[in-house]
């Protein structure tokens, strides 16, 4: 499949991590895709997550000169800062990026679009013919309950970034510390919550609780991830909704939750949890990790007033990935809200083909 | 990699570094910050610009040697490199139309106060600067401030070894009491900003503080930098670093700044083992 002509080979293996394929065997099969004659067009890709990398790979194959701008110091997006090593080896991501570089893609880290350059500046001063925005849905949501800013309360993004991207597990050989809880409560029921819980166990937590408002049946996490978490000893506290984080001297000592029961199905068809009166109880813990979702980061859009956003701040695009700004395309979580690696890569590839048509026609 | 162009020691423990970063310098504004990593295993640390040149493509910052990262920084010199420099980040300080402004810079906070005061002068505000330090040796940038078209410069030290003896809040209070202040800005240790805000509050003088919470990405992705302002959670890196000093929960800020003190000590001890300097 990797050798099949016209396939976006460079990102092929990333799609597979979901399918548990053997890494070494995959890497052995690496081969460079065929690249079309150079078009003389330059495209900027904002963000190096799966959508940006897929878009960059496809554009490079179509003969365009591509520069990927990444705000962090390492490219890969959620694949490197969010998803842990034990689930997605970082070597595999690095190999994908290496392949893109071999194909001629420039990867520029430490550049925040919206701060270092605006989208307009990319199209004018920096001389790009088109821009793809794949900046992800990076802004963590907190619960808005008392005690949430106590020391020991993390967003999943912060906790996972400290451990994965900043290698806090090697501290003090790496410079970034992480609060290593003995008893950790993770709030949420998605893949991010499972990754946080399993990472906490690997950092040496004695007990890890997973606190979720509904039951395991309603969890949005993939079933295997839920199984892994259970097998590794994560204790599930289902039908519990956090109401307060308690602390002493600024540090977390417990998470107070209310018991819930499932009521009537809601709009999504899932049975909605309702509070059981006077059922508050405290889970003793020294760390709370909040994995209840993310929102669109407004940083890039604030510096691009012509970019049409949805009510919730996501970028509005057509089926082809085109935004309200001429020559600017978008895809991945910044368009759909937090979704999946496969969807993000699909959106990146779709946009690449639209960009290809657009730059050849308009520029 | 980013080339270090120059370094300068300003006191026993305070240093200045100038780094080539043309794209960052081109956009920098007073009150904004950037994030650096010293090397491959380095942490991401924010520093507010003390100066920059868009034309020459450099940025400058001042730091006190407090932990492993700043210790490592002290060992770098012109010709060395930083692994990463990213910015400019945060919202620029508000300048212009402020009327009679007082800028308080305490300790290394003076480094941040300098471009803010300069920008206010350039925007037509009438600026008084109060510089505070523990002692004369720790007083920085006095000459630079003197070169600005300020209304006046007041120097305060805890021990009276330079300027007046006392806290920055003394002259601040007097000026407010005289009705000479339309706008105050305080930049320095959290405790100093807290007392400055408490001082001006009595007189109803709008007061902005420049907060320095712990950060990781600096772009709104992690929430490490969250601060409570007027009962609401804000992200210091994207909503700030400037906030209404009368609404900031300073106790929470100070508590959150202490979360990794043990780790920082451990990291510094670990790093200092292999280091012959006596800083
Ligand atoms: C912990 C975790 C586990 C997950 N597990 C799974 C899973 O098992 N299966 C699955 O399919 N999906 C999973 N997901 C979801 C999946 O990772 C995302 O849907 C996918 O990564 C989205 O890709 P993206 O390219 O849109 O954005 P991202 O991966 O978020 O990448 C965006 C990149 O853009 C950069 N950026 C943002 N703003 C700017 C800017 N202004 N300038 C420059 N760069 C910028 C960011 O730093 C980032 O590197 C998981 C997500 C998380 C957080
Ligand atoms: S430092 Fe991460 S959100 Fe502010």
């Amino acid at each position: 499949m990797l050798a099949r002509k016209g396939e976006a080979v460079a990102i092929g293996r990333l799609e597979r991590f979901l399918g548990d394929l053997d890494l070494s065997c995959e890497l052995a099969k690496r081969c460079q895709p065929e690249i079309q004659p150079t078009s003389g067009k330059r495209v900027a890709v904002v963000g190096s997550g799966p959508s940006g990398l897929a878009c960059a790979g496809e554009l490079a194959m179509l003969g365009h000169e591509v520069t990927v701008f990444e705000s962090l110091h390492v490219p890969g997006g959620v694949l490197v800062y969010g998803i842990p090593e034990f689930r997605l080896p970082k070597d595999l991501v690095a190999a994908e990026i290496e392949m893109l570089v071999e194909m001629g893609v420039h990867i520029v880290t430490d550049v925040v679009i919206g701060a270092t350059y605006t989208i307009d500046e990319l199209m004018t001063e920096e001389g790009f013919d088109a821009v793809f925005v794949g900046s992800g849905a990076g802004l963590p949501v907190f619960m808005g309950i008392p005690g949430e800013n106590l020391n020991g309360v993390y967003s999943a993004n912060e906790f996972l970034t400290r451990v994965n991207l900043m290698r806090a597990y090697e501290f003090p050989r790496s410079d970034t510390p992480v609060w290593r809880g003995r008893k950790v409560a993770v709030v949420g029921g998605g893949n991010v919550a499972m990754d946080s819980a399993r990472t906490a166990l690997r950092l040496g937590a004695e007990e890890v609780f997973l606190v979720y408002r509904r039951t395991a049946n309603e969890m949005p996490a993939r079933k295997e991830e839920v199984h892994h978490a259970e097998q590794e000893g994560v204790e599930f506290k289902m039908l519990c909704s956090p109401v307060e984080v308690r602390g002493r001297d600024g540090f977390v000592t417990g998470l107070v939750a209310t018991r819930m029961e499932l009521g009537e199905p809601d709009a999504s068809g899932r049975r909605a949890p309702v509070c059981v009166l006077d059922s508050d109880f405290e889970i003793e813990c020294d760390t709370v990790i909040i994995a209840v979702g993310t929102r669109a980061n407004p940083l890039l859009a604030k510096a691009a007033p012509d970019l049409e956003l949805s009510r919730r701040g996501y970028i509005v695009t057509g089926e082809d990935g085109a935004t309200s700004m001429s020559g600017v395309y978008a895809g991945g979580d910044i368009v759909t809200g937090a979704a999946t690696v496969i969807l993000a890569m699909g959106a990146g590839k779709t946009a690449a083909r639209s960009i290809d048509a657009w730059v050849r026609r308009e520029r | 990699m980013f080339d270090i162009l120059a370094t300068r020691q300003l006191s026993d423990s305070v240093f200045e570094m100038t780094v080539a970063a043309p794209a960052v310098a081109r956009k920098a504004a007073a009150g904004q910050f950037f994030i650096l990593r010293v090397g491959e295993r380095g942490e991401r640390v924010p520093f507010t610009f003390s100066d920059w040149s868009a034309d020459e493509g450099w940025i400058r910052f001042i730091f006190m040697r407090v932990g492993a990262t700043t210790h490592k920084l002290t060992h770098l010199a012109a010709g060395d490199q930083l692994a990463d420099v990213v910015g400019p980040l945060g919202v620029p300080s508000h300048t212009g139309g402020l009327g009679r402004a007082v800028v308080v810079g305490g300790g290394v906070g003076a480094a941040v106060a300098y471009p803010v005061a300069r920008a206010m002068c350039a925007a037509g505000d009438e600026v008084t600067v109060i510089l505070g330090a523990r002692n004369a040796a720790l007083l920085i940038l006095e000459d630079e401030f003197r070169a600005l078209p300020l209304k006046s410069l007041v120097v305060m030290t805890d021990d009276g070894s330079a300027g007046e003896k006392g806290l920055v809040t003394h002259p601040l209070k007097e000026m407010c009491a005289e009705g000479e202040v339309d706008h105050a800005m305080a930049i320095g240790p959290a405790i100093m900003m807290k007392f400055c805000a408490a001082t001006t509050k009595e007189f109803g003088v709008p007061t902005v503080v420049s907060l320095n919470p712990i950060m990781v990405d600096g772009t709104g992705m992690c929430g490490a930098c969250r601060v409570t302002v007027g009962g609401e959670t804000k992200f210091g890196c994207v909503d700030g670093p400037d906030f209404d000093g009368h609404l900031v929960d300073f106790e929470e800020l100070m508590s959150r700044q202490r979360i990794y003190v043990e780790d920082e000590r451990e990291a510094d001890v670990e790093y200092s083992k292999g280091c012959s300097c006596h800083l």
Side-chain angles (χ1 to χ4, degrees):
Chain A
M1 165 176 179
L2 289 175
R4 203 197 298 157
K5 218 169 145 183
E7 272 286 336
V9 181
I11 43 86
R13 285 175 306 272
L14 282 182
E15 287 176 330
R16 305 280 192 79
F17 94 82
L18 303 154
D20 286 327
L21 270 180
D22 178 40
L23 169 66
S24 49
C25 140
E26 282 300 301
L27 288 178
K29 278 197 268 175
R30 292 187 63 188
C31 63
Q32 262 213 354
E34 220 165 283
I35 295 180
Q36 289 184 19
T38 169
S39 68
K41 308 290 179 201
R42 298 178 67 223
V43 184
V45 169
V46 181
S48 61
S51 68
L53 293 179
C55 185
E58 192 80 6
L59 284 167
M61 281 199 298
L62 292 166
H64 306 298
E65 186 189 329
V66 185
T67 303
V68 178
F69 293 103
E70 167 58 48
S71 59
L72 291 170
H73 55 276
V74 181
V78 167
L79 306 178
V80 294
Y81 80 70
I83 301 176
E85 175 78 21
F86 60 81
R87 207 146 71 72
L88 173 63
K90 298 295 161 269
D91 284 353
L92 194 144
V93 182
E96 295 304 324
I97 290 163
E98 187 49 41
M99 166 86 83
L100 290 179
V101 171
E102 280 166 25
M103 288 165 63
V105 173
H106 308 283
I107 309 244
V108 184
T109 52
D110 293 333
V111 171
V112 185
I113 303 303
T116 322
Y117 303 103
T118 62
I119 292 179
D120 267 337
E121 286 167 346
L122 290 177
M123 301 276 286
T124 53
E125 291 164 34
E126 302 302 317
F128 288 99
D129 295 297
V131 175
F132 172 78
V133 179
S135 53
L139 198 83
V141 171
F142 288 87
M143 295 180 290
I145 61 175
E148 216 168 8
N149 293 346
L150 284 163
N151 291 335
V153 182
Y154 284 117
S155 73
N157 270 6
E158 182 185 354
F159 179 70
L160 292 171
T161 299
R162 281 182 180 275
V163 179
N164 298 329
L165 181 71
M166 306 311 297
R167 311 210 280 199
Y169 57 89
E170 294 180 338
F171 184 86
R173 275 181 300 121
S174 67
D175 292 341
T176 305
V178 66
W179 181 250
R180 288 176 188 239
R182 286 191 308 108
K183 295 186 176 190
V184 179
V186 178
V187 183
N191 289 327
V192 185
M194 302 304 147
D195 283 346
S196 302
R198 297 174 67 197
T199 299
L201 281 175
R202 283 163 177 74
L203 280 181
E206 288 157 19
E207 282 178 283
V208 177
F209 309 104
L210 194 101
V211 182
Y212 184 54
R213 291 189 321 140
R214 309 182 197 232
T215 71
N217 289 331
E218 283 85 16
M219 279 189 179
R222 297 189 309 131
K223 286 281 165 282
E224 298 106 282
E225 300 309 324
V226 179
H227 281 302
H228 284 309
E230 253 177 334
Q231 273 169 5
E232 289 174 10
V234 173
E235 191 178 318
F236 284 36
K237 299 217 176 258
M238 300 295 95
L239 290 167
C240 293
S241 182
V243 290
E244 183 188 348
V245 186
R246 294 231 171 109
R248 199 182 317 113
D249 302 327
F251 285 82
V252 173
T253 56
L255 180 68
V256 182
T258 296
R259 292 209 188 279
M260 312 294 279
E261 54 191 19
L262 290 183
E264 296 300 310
D266 64 10
S268 70
R270 294 191 299 179
R271 293 177 64 194
V274 285
C275 299
V276 177
L277 266 183
D278 294 329
S279 63
D280 285 8
F281 67 104
E282 185 168 338
I283 302 165
E284 193 196 315
C285 60
D286 51 21
T287 307
V288 175
I289 300 169
I290 301 169
V292 299
T294 51
R295 286 186 293 136
N297 189 329
L299 195 155
L300 175 134
K302 267 192 191 157
D306 297 336
L307 194 60
E308 189 190 338
L309 304 179
S310 72
R311 208 168 28 83
R312 295 169 61 218
Y314 295 104
I315 298 176
V316 176
T317 67
E319 298 252 307
D320 59 350
T323 70
S324 59
M325 285 172 80
S326 173
V328 179
Y329 293 73
D333 285 4
I334 190 58
V335 172
T336 55
T340 66
V341 172
I342 289 202
L343 284 173
M345 288 196 296
K349 285 191 243 175
T350 301
R353 286 178 213 118
S354 311
I355 290 170
D356 177 59
W358 191 83
V359 291
R360 288 180 195 280
R361 196 175 61 236
E362 304 286 333
R363 287 269 164 163
Chain B
M1 300 295 268
F2 295 78
D3 292 330
I4 296 169
L5 302 177
T7 56
R8 185 160 75 112
Q9 185 162 6
L10 303 183
S11 77
D12 275 358
S13 55
V14 179
F15 300 79
E16 179 186 84
M17 185 174 275
T18 308
V19 184
V24 182
R26 211 166 56 98
K27 283 295 188 66
Q32 286 191 299
F33 66 93
F34 68 99
I35 284 196
L36 66 73
R37 280 196 329 139
V38 173
E40 259 328 294
R41 281 158 195 263
E43 57 183 336
R44 296 174 63 94
V45 198
F47 291 98
T48 308
F49 301 113
S50 67
D51 205 351
W52 61 91
S53 166
D55 297 339
E56 295 167 18
W58 52 259
I59 57 164
R60 180 174 290 160
F61 65 105
I62 288 175
F63 60 94
M64 185 183 279
R65 180 242 185 274
V66 284
T69 295
T70 45
H71 188 174
K72 288 176 192 175
L73 279 175
T74 63
H75 290 313
L76 300 176
D80 293 331
Q81 293 183 313
L82 295 177
D84 301 278
V85 168
V86 56
L89 302 171
V91 182
S93 293
H94 186 61
T95 59
L98 300 174
R100 298 165 300 171
V102 173
V103 178
V104 184
V108 276
V112 182
Y114 172 65
V116 172
R118 186 175 62 184
M120 284 178 177
C121 290
D125 300 318
E126 183 189 297
V127 186
T128 295
V129 170
I130 304 174
L131 274 189
R134 261 182 290 143
N135 55 53
L138 289 170
L139 192 68
I140 57 169
L141 301 185
E142 194 182 342
D143 294 342
E144 282 80 352
F145 278 104
R146 292 213 185 275
L148 295 179
L150 301 177
K151 181 172 169 240
S152 65
L153 176 72
V154 180
V155 173
M156 303 296 297
T157 50
D158 290 2
D159 62 358
S161 53
E164 299 282 310
K165 179 173 171 157
L167 300 173
V168 290
T169 44
H170 283 135
L172 180 63
K173 185 167 185 165
E174 275 170 27
M175 290 175 211
C176 287
E178 296 287 325
E180 292 171 0
V181 189
D182 300 319
H183 177 94
M185 167 122 195
I187 309 157
I191 189 79
M192 182 209 89
M193 294 191 283
K194 177 186 161 175
F195 283 114
C196 286
T199 303
T200 57
K201 192 166 186 182
E202 259 180 73
F203 303 97
V205 173
T207 300
V208 172
V209 290
S210 172
L211 303 186
N212 49 352
I214 291 173
M215 295 189 190
V216 182
D217 61 301
T219 60
M221 182 271 273
C222 76
C225 59
R226 56 201 194 279
V227 289
T228 301
V229 182
E232 263 182 68
T233 294
K234 299 281 183 190
F235 283 9
C237 68
V238 284
D239 299 324
D242 290 2
F243 290 102
D244 182 340
H246 296 153
L247 298 179
V248 168
D249 182 341
F250 285 104
E251 297 307 319
E252 180 185 279
L253 174 72
M254 288 186 272
S255 169
R256 288 185 63 78
Q257 285 173 335
R258 280 193 297 266
I259 173 166
Y260 301 112
V261 275
E262 296 288 324
D263 299 295
E264 277 156 18
R265 199 168 300 135
E266 184 189 339
D268 199 20
V269 167
E270 183 75 17
Y271 176 67
S272 300
K273 274 184 203 158
C275 177
S276 55
C277 84
H278 299 289
L279 277 168

